[in-house]
Amino acid sequence: TLGAFALLGAVDGSWESWAQATCLPDSCFCERPRDGLLRQPSNTFSNLGFTATGALVLIDCLAVQSSKAVGRRAAPLGGSFGLAFGLANIVLGAGSGWYHASLTFWGQWIDNAAMYLLITAPFLFVVAPTEQRPMSYAFHYATSNALLGWLCMAFPATRRYIFIALVLALLAAEVRARSADPLRCKLAQGRNLGTAATVLVVAFAIWTADLRGWLCSPDSVFQGHAVWHLLNAVASFYLYKYYRPLAFGRAADETPVACTIV
């Protein structure tokens, strides 16, 4: 991903023949679009945070599976969730990077579609019936994201509202699951979920300030929207830390943590 972004900055070209993003001409965040194939450098390269998070998740998931270190309370869908969540982060890193490099409609679409992939992975893991198998999880994951992707394409003005609704749905589903199952509180550390939510709120405040021009220096290498990307990558990492013991269980010698919300 890093090499692809660097190549865009080194090669001459233009995205003008492509369908342009709906945020143009003056609502594509603070960073001033440049000529060439790398139109918003800071907002592009900051997406490498998602690539790093995705790589860490996949490495951990594969290591647990290959070492057979899965705990006694491992969920049947644990491996499927880990794989989906890790790949979603990597797709988001590449897709959002392409969006900010090109400011094209298709870049905008894959950016938002990847955000939906990221949130629906844990959401479907939370709401899945106990007996659901990996193939069923994969089917629901694919079909729900196909529908969300179509909505984002057909009605692009709804793209941000869809993402907000998915985040709230995930939090509501998790709060309900913790209330219904005391063992869940002992397995998953609430502070990891609280950290992810707190970082997301801070990131959203910065996103809003950047979009509205309250925190804006168009030609600076330091961009609020780039910080949004990096903070969301951190939030994604803590979200995985929260769900990891639910996905893979705990080793027999691990002491369950106290049941807290944050």
Side-chain angles (χ1 to χ4, degrees), residues 80-82 84-85 88-89 115-128 137 141 166 169-170 173-174 184 236 239-240 242-243:
S80 300
F81 158 71
F85 194 71
N89 272 278
M115 292 166 65
Y116 306 156
L117 287 171
L118 187 68
I119 295 298
T120 53
F123 175 76
L124 292 174
F125 178 62
V126 173
V127 301
Y137 175 86
Y141 187 61
L166 289 173
L170 172 60
E174 184 55 40
R184 191 180 191 88
S236 183
L239 192 62
Y240 176 71
Y242 174 77
Y243 282 110

Side-chain angles (χ1 to χ4, degrees), residues 164-186:
I164 293 172
L166 289 173
V167 171
L168 294 177
L170 172 60
L171 290 175
E174 184 55 40
V175 169
R176 183 176 182 276
R178 287 177 70 86
S179 300
D181 182 9
L183 289 177
R184 191 180 191 88
C185 296
K186 295 180 180 180

Side-chain angles (χ1 to χ4, degrees), residues 85-96:
F85 194 71
L87 289 175
N89 272 278
I90 291 175
V91 172
L92 179 55
S96 182

